[in-house]
Amino acid sequence: DLAQLARWVGAQGGSYVGTLPLLASFMDRPLEPSPYSPVSRLFWNEFYVAPCREHAGAGGNGRLVDYAAVAQRRRAVLAAEAAEFFRTADETRRAELAQFAAGQVRLADYARFRAVCDRLGTGWHAWPERLRAGDFQPGDYAPEDEQYYRYAQWQAERQLAAIGEAAGKGAAALYLDLPLGVNPDGYDAWRFCEIFADGASVGAPPDTLFTGGQDWGFRPFSPEQLRSSGYAYLIEALRQHLRHARMLRLDHIMSLFRLYWIPAGLSARDGVYVQYPANELLAVLLTESAQHGATIVGEDLGTVPRAVRHTMDRRRINRIYVVQYELDGSDDHPLNEVPRNAVASLNTHDMPPFAAFVRAGEVDDQLDLGLVDEAEAEQARAARTELVGRLERYFRVTDGERALLEALLAHLAASTARAVLVNLEDLWLERAPQNVPGTSSERPNWRRRLARTLAEIMADESIAGTLRAVHERRGRVRTRAAATTD
């Protein structure tokens, strides 16, 4: 499906297809569907591998994905495929897998780790001491599980490589996302435990929305141990992505400069910023991006010191420009200027979709969650109505949400931004968010299925027309820029 989407986007003139992280996750026990809490930043999510012979099903027709049930069905199909491979594959195909494994020095280790997780049904913190120490014996896991993980990683790599190769033949290239942290029960936190700091977690200090601060629940990297290891883990994670991505987004670019540490047992109000060796980390990042010919995008939303953005500009790391964060109070200029070195969009996965934003839909959610009271909610709704009115007057829009959406996309397309991202869901005015920050069980985060199938998206001429219009306007900007340069 991703390959098909990339071809279709390329046919509309698009250069990239962006995804949330595609990394390995716990999809059964312990279940953690968030793409920002991966088992590993070094291996792909077996859940997304397309079986060769049989479709494993999308998991019913409900609005939400039952990840555990779908993962069980998909795994059954792919595991049968893996078993057949190891039973009947000829020497040529076995040599292909062996060649892949030779280039993935941690593959066997990862596969055994996941197989032990499957056998015990727990994360590694609950394992017996011998297993926590990595002393795996044949009876500690099922051989067919270990084979499944090795085979699935090989297939994931082959399928992503095919998408990357198609980018040179008219399809859109991949714009991948590297999350900040990893699941504390996952492979990376186990295998590379020495580079993680004990007794602390990563988060954010209190702000106007999260007055108690935020605790993201994963351990921070130790600056000293990162340096003493020669940044080997970071290099591996970057190479895993840059083999296939022409553009890579780094979640929370501030992590190269400083991170908010929360000591164990204390609240997120009691954290402290810890500095990181930014110049060394940037050198690693830019060396890898140059070697792979990839563009780097740093997620720099929120409160970011001016010096950080100055460094990003100087090192040619692209920034993030999001309309919902760039609105000001002026009728003459309701939007801040789009920087040249930015990837511009209307929103992100952590924000309400455009149609919900216009109607202040997230305010109702905040009221329901107890983050604001009724008076504050009413004030926020009135402010949003006034803000949307300013946008409509500025862009001379009178025909509702769709017309304002088109006007804002045209505005971004006409800017000198490095790239413009269009959220497909905005194009049918979706109102439900993918993720509500600060919630877990309170909201079905990461579980909501697209309201339309891929076939329906590609058959919708209004969606294709909007994307082509963005592409054509971007082309005119490039033409003017070339003429100015000449």
Side-chain angles (χ1 to χ4, degrees):
D1 287 349
L2 181 57
Q4 191 175 1
L5 179 63
R7 290 192 296 271
W8 179 77
V9 170
Q12 315 314 314
S15 300
Y16 300 97
V17 166
T19 76
L20 297 180
L22 298 178
L23 294 167
S25 299
F26 287 125
M27 290 297 188
D28 42 28
R29 293 181 302 165
L31 176 65
E32 177 49 83
S34 169
Y36 292 95
S37 184
V39 169
S40 174
R41 302 198 301 175
L42 307 179
F43 294 95
W44 305 117
N45 197 333
E46 298 85 3
F47 183 82
Y48 296 128
V49 174
C52 293
R53 296 184 181 178
E54 180 181 345
H55 194 279
N61 299 316
R63 187 69 163 146
L64 301 179
V65 176
D66 183 345
Y67 276 108
V70 180
Q72 185 177 24
R73 289 199 295 273
R74 291 187 173 184
R75 176 162 176 168
V77 173
L78 197 60
E81 193 175 291
E84 181 180 359
F85 171 86
F86 284 104
R87 187 175 61 253
T88 66
D90 59 28
E91 289 302 317
T92 301
R93 293 203 70 209
R94 289 179 181 272
E96 291 176 4
L97 175 55
Q99 183 179 11
F100 166 69
Q104 292 272 352
V105 295
R106 302 190 191 280
L107 177 62
D109 189 49
Y110 167 78
R112 286 192 292 268
F113 172 88
R114 294 301 303 270
V116 172
C117 287
D118 290 347
R119 169 65 62 85
L120 299 181
T122 67
W124 64 274
H125 287 96
W127 292 356
E129 184 176 350
R130 174 176 64 83
L131 297 180
R132 289 202 308 272
D135 181 11
F136 296 155
Q137 302 298 324
D140 294 330
Y141 58 87
E144 59 269 23
D145 290 342
E146 187 268 346
Q147 290 181 343
Y148 159 76
Y149 284 107
R150 281 195 289 133
Y151 179 83
Q153 286 300 316
W154 178 40
Q155 292 303 310
E157 188 74 17
R158 293 177 70 239
Q159 291 172 17
L160 284 171
I163 297 173
E165 291 167 5
K169 305 171 184 176
L174 287 174
Y175 171 30
L176 295 182
D177 191 346
L178 180 62
L180 169 63
V182 295
N183 191 307
D185 271 330
Y187 174 77
D188 291 5
W190 171 77
R191 172 49 65 200
F192 302 93
C193 61
E194 69 280 357
I195 67 172
F196 290 89
D198 287 326
S201 57
V202 178
D207 57 26
T208 55
L209 184 57
F210 300 103
T211 56
Q214 298 178 67
D215 188 333
W216 298 333
F218 53 81
R219 292 162 60 196
F221 295 112
S222 162
E224 294 85 358
Q225 292 300 321
L226 278 176
R227 173 182 280 169
S228 65
S229 69
Y231 304 103
Y233 171 74
L234 174 61
I235 291 170
E236 285 188 47
L238 289 169
R239 289 178 179 174
Q240 174 74 1
H241 290 75
L242 294 176
R243 280 201 301 273
H244 308 298
R246 297 271 186 89
M247 184 181 285
L248 179 65
R249 174 189 180 272
L250 258 65
D251 186 33
H252 200 63
I253 190 71
M254 280 290 296
S255 65
L256 303 183
F257 300 84
R258 70 182 191 187
L259 270 179
Y260 189 72
W261 287 28
I262 304 167
L266 299 183
S267 76
R269 294 188 181 94
D270 303 313
V272 62
Y273 277 109
V274 174
Q275 301 293 326
Y276 282 75
N279 287 334
E280 296 171 22
L281 289 166
L282 286 166
V284 169
L285 172 65
L286 297 177
T287 296
E288 293 301 321
S289 68
Q291 289 180 344
H292 290 86
T295 298
I296 300 297
V297 180
E299 186 271 296
D300 62 333
L301 300 177
T303 303
V304 177
R306 186 176 300 174
V308 170
R309 289 195 171 119
H310 175 72
T311 299
M312 293 175 67
D313 292 344
R314 189 160 50 89
R315 301 296 183 95
R316 297 185 181 180
I317 297 174
N318 291 271
R319 294 167 50 187
I320 296 284
Y321 178 98
V322 179
V323 164
Q324 290 186 28
Y325 276 9
E326 300 292 344
L327 298 159
D328 66 24
S330 167
D331 268 5
D332 294 334
H333 299 285
L335 280 170
N336 295 323
E337 185 177 356
V338 183
R340 182 180 296 271
N341 65 326
V343 172
S345 63
L346 299 180
N347 44 43
T348 74
H349 56 269
D350 285 333
M351 298 177 186
F354 179 77
F357 172 78
V358 168
R359 296 172 177 258
E362 82 281 9
V363 176
D364 296 334
D365 210 33
Q366 292 166 8
L367 180 63
D368 184 59
L369 291 167
L371 298 175
V372 298
D373 59 30
E374 187 60 57
E376 291 170 326
E378 192 57 39
Q379 185 178 9
R381 293 188 195 101
R384 183 64 50 78
T385 299
E386 182 181 351
L387 186 150
V388 170
R390 284 199 300 271
L391 288 172
E392 290 174 335
R393 289 190 296 273
Y394 181 78
F395 289 111
R396 299 178 182 178
V397 168
T398 59
D399 299 332
E401 298 166 0
R402 180 77 193 195
L404 184 57
L405 171 77
E406 301 279 358
L408 282 166
L409 289 176
H411 173 77
L412 296 182
S415 74
T416 57
R418 171 68 177 78
V420 175
L421 293 182
V422 181
N423 181 350
L424 283 175
E425 289 191 307
D426 282 338
L427 299 183
W428 59 79
L429 301 179
E430 176 65 60
R431 288 189 169 83
Q434 273 293 341
N435 181 49
V436 179
T439 66
S440 54
S441 59
E442 300 92 338
R443 294 293 180 268
N445 295 331
W446 314 114
R447 295 175 56 207
R448 184 176 55 74
R449 182 180 287 110
L450 283 176
R452 300 191 181 187
T453 66
L454 180 59
E456 289 169 344
I457 292 170
M458 296 190 298
D460 190 325
E461 183 52 36
S462 67
I463 292 177
T466 298
L467 296 181
R468 287 196 296 269
V470 170
H471 172 63
E472 289 166 5
R473 188 169 287 252
R474 295 289 294 164
R476 290 196 291 271
V477 171
R478 295 190 189 98
T479 300
R480 288 199 302 271
T484 302
T485 301
D486 293 342

